[in-house]
Amino acid sequence: MPSATHTQDSPLLSSALSLLTTAQVTASSEDVLVILLDSDALSGLPTTLSASAQQAIQASASRAGFSAKLGETLPLYQAEQDGFEQILIVGAGTINELNAGQAQKLAASIIKALAERTTHAVIAIDSLPDAAIEPFALALANKAYQFDVYKSKKSTNKLKSITLQTTQADALQARINLVNAIHIGQSFTRNLANQPGNICFPEYLADQAIALAAEFPEVLKTSVLDEAQMAELGMHSFLAVSKGSERPGRLVTLEYNGKKDDSKPVVLVGKGVTFDTGGISLKPGPGMEDMKFDMSGAASVLGIIRAVCVAKLPINVVGALACAENMPSGRATRPGDIVTSMSGQTIEILNTDAEGRLVLCDTLTYIERFNPEIVIDMATLTGACVVALGEIVSGLFSADEELVAEILQAGLEVHDRAWRLPLLEDYQELLDSPVADMANIGGRTAGATTAACFLWRYTKQYRWAHLDIAGTANTSGANKGSTGRPVPLLMQFLRKRAGV
């Protein structure tokens, strides 16, 4: 496969928050000690504290009426206990019952309290349940994320690192190293997805992949197909989307060889529509600016590949990015046009705003050459999925019961959850066309399912699942931004497959 010549010096990196574990901490007067308290008699003080420190903290909490409900915080200034001048006590509710979701809320309250107070904090975590430690640590790192690249006034967040104080440091450090790797990948995804459309376009995403491969040359290689090469392969469904833009489309693949053998890879496919106007089927103006997030699937694949490289997971993974910009122009596809996909199946394009499935179907055919063990695609595919599930869980579609169970369980473990929606042959007739093998939309009802059914037609050669992340990849409104999901879910999935 040919390589692109348009390159960039280095990928877009983030200033990721550093997490460490340690059994002993040398306190600095500028550090803050964070203590998690159980709501039952304000218990849970770390055993590393002196008896006098424990008594002073409990007395201060009692005087302040501190009840230790989940997320409640109380700063104790001039505590001067065990070398720390500042102590922050945080309620953890019933701490031994803390689950992954509650651990995320706990982390959010801690970061909010610390962000402008210190550059380094020490958090005593021995009282946390084992299953909550990694979600808690990842949430700490993610809640400290800021994207202020284009602001003249930068964030006032001072926090740069957190030490997780524990008597089990040696046993936990490998797990925290993996959390750091996930955070690095997730921050990379968020930085990419938060870029505006005039910066992030198909060639830009290709540049990021090329630079990423240059950073990890021993395990990663990247190839890029341009539009002429895609045309030679018969990828006319993909090109029906990209041809309306001045920015040419790109199909990018990244091959991570972590197992050092010929075992079949897990292939991750991401929708990379860098801006989606809807094409000739133009979207309404209000809210269209959020269509810069329509490349979140591709950004997630890049983030996962970066995390896998940093973590050195012993598994083979291929990432495929379907990168295009969907614009109206004199060259743009018209509603009613018929194209032939790489698979040979013909498509009547009834709505040019159903473009994600058009770039994905050719990509799903193309990746057959990698002889995949499993294929998972992720895409901000349908507004119907947002209506059905909101911003809480991603939509999951697959006819493979075992694969569904694996993905759902991984999501539960890291609190990056998915919910299975129906994928049934009964829905396929909604995609019937009188003039082509299929239409690209199925009408007003069951929109998320008919979109998945469309993709299903191109995945018969391997085990496959589809994640519709339209509701979970980003937030909207005044605090809009990328969430970096489903990077945690799929890193957990890969980690378990790798036996790490």
Side-chain angles (χ1 to χ4, degrees):
M1 292 180 291
S3 297
T5 57
H6 183 58
T7 61
Q8 182 169 301
D9 289 340
S10 63
L12 182 69
L13 299 175
S14 70
S15 54
L17 183 73
S18 174
L19 295 170
L20 304 169
T21 61
T22 184
Q24 296 182 344
V25 176
T26 302
S28 163
S29 61
E30 297 178 358
D31 294 345
V32 175
L33 174 64
V34 180
I35 297 172
L36 310 177
L37 290 186
D38 192 287
S39 57
D40 181 15
L42 300 182
S43 62
L45 288 167
T47 56
T48 52
L49 285 177
S50 64
S52 61
Q54 294 188 41
Q55 291 172 4
I57 290 167
Q58 286 184 319
S60 296
S62 180
R63 284 196 301 269
F66 185 80
S67 63
K69 65 182 180 182
L70 184 66
E72 184 182 6
T73 60
L74 177 65
L76 303 178
Y77 298 102
Q78 298 177 336
E80 298 182 0
Q81 298 292 341
D82 293 12
F84 292 92
E85 290 189 358
Q86 295 185 50
I87 292 178
L88 177 72
I89 58 175
V90 182
T94 306
I95 201 165
N96 62 357
E97 296 178 3
L98 201 71
N99 60 35
Q102 291 168 330
Q104 286 188 353
K105 292 180 180 179
L106 179 63
S109 65
I110 291 171
I111 294 301
K112 183 178 180 180
L114 290 177
E116 298 182 12
R117 178 171 286 141
T118 185
T119 59
H120 177 251
V122 177
I123 305 177
I125 63 167
D126 276 338
S127 57
L128 284 178
D130 186 72
I133 290 174
E134 290 179 42
F136 175 70
L138 182 59
L140 286 171
N142 285 337
K143 293 300 181 181
Y145 172 86
Q146 297 287 330
F147 185 79
D148 55 8
V149 176
Y150 301 105
K151 283 182 171 286
S152 54
K153 186 177 180 181
K154 302 302 182 183
S155 168
T156 56
N157 185 350
K158 296 165 56 179
L159 191 62
K160 301 300 180 186
S161 64
I162 291 176
T163 296
L164 302 174
Q165 184 186 37
T166 173
T167 56
Q168 304 296 319
D170 291 342
L172 277 179
Q173 190 60 62
R175 293 167 61 187
I176 298 304
N177 289 344
L178 181 60
V179 169
N180 274 323
I182 296 170
H183 172 52
I184 288 168
Q186 195 168 359
S187 295
F188 187 39
T189 291
R190 296 172 81 177
N191 279 352
L192 287 170
N194 283 330
Q195 295 294 328
N198 61 317
I199 301 295
C200 181
F201 40 85
E203 295 157 299
Y204 178 88
L205 287 178
D207 287 345
Q208 301 302 317
I210 292 167
L212 188 58
E215 188 178 353
F216 299 97
E218 294 183 356
V219 292
L220 189 62
K221 64 179 181 178
T222 296
S223 297
V224 181
L225 298 183
D226 62 23
E227 289 191 335
Q229 293 157 341
M230 286 190 276
E232 289 179 7
L233 291 168
M235 303 177 74
H236 301 294
S237 179
F238 191 120
L239 295 170
V241 178
S242 65
K243 71 178 185 177
S245 173
E246 294 293 323
R247 296 289 189 183
R250 293 287 185 266
L251 196 159
V252 184
T253 55
L254 304 99
E255 298 175 64
Y256 171 80
N257 184 17
K259 204 166 183 181
K260 306 300 183 183
D261 62 17
D262 295 327
S263 58
K264 294 181 178 181
V266 174
V267 178
L268 305 175
V269 177
K271 175 186 173 184
V273 176
T274 56
F275 197 84
D276 182 18
T277 66
I280 298 300
S281 304
L282 194 67
K283 292 178 181 290
M288 193 193 288
E289 67 275 8
D290 284 354
M291 289 301 101
K292 70 177 187 177
F293 295 117
D294 213 18
M295 42 65 74
S296 294
S300 294
V301 172
L302 279 168
I304 293 163
I305 295 294
R306 170 173 281 284
V308 165
C309 289
V310 173
K312 300 179 181 179
L313 286 188
I315 189 172
N316 294 335
V317 183
V318 173
L321 320 177
C323 306
E325 186 179 51
N326 189 22
M327 299 286 282
S329 74
R331 299 194 305 271
T333 294
R334 298 161 289 265
D337 284 359
I338 298 174
V339 296
T340 303
S341 65
M342 184 180 178
S343 70
Q345 299 176 88
T346 58
I347 306 163
E348 182 185 16
I349 301 174
L350 299 181
N351 189 321
T352 64
D353 193 25
E355 85 300 327
R357 65 202 73 182
L358 297 177
V359 298
L360 286 173
C361 72
D362 277 344
T363 306
L364 289 167
T365 300
Y366 180 79
I367 56 95
E368 288 178 12
R369 65 192 57 205
F370 294 106
N371 190 25
E373 173 75 18
I374 285 170
V375 176
I376 302 174
D377 78 73
M378 60 212 77
T380 48
L381 204 62
T382 66
C385 193
V386 185
V387 172
L389 300 177
E391 299 180 353
I392 306 300
V393 295
S394 300
L396 172 62
F397 299 84
S398 179
D400 188 319
E401 299 293 334
E402 184 179 340
L403 182 55
V404 165
E406 265 190 87
I407 294 172
L408 291 177
Q409 182 60 31
L412 287 173
E413 290 168 355
V414 294
H415 202 65
D416 182 7
R417 295 163 295 174
W419 192 265
R420 191 182 191 182
L421 291 171
L423 184 72
L424 303 170
E425 288 289 350
D426 308 62
Y427 289 99
Q428 290 286 8
E429 64 184 36
L430 297 175
L431 294 169
D432 286 349
S433 165
V435 293
D437 294 334
M438 72 196 80
N440 76 321
I441 57 172
R444 295 184 61 193
T445 60
T449 288
T450 53
C453 282
F454 181 96
L455 298 178
W456 193 14
R457 298 183 181 211
Y458 296 85
T459 63
K460 302 300 184 182
Q461 303 304 312
Y462 43 72
R463 299 177 65 194
W464 164 79
H466 160 61
L467 284 169
D468 193 327
I469 59 172
T472 56
N474 65 277
T475 56
S476 301
N479 295 315
K480 68 182 177 184
S482 172
T483 63
R485 296 174 65 188
V487 173
L489 185 161
L490 291 171
M491 274 298 292
Q492 182 71 1
F493 174 84
L494 293 173
R495 168 193 183 178
K496 293 177 75 175
R497 285 200 148 253
V500 175

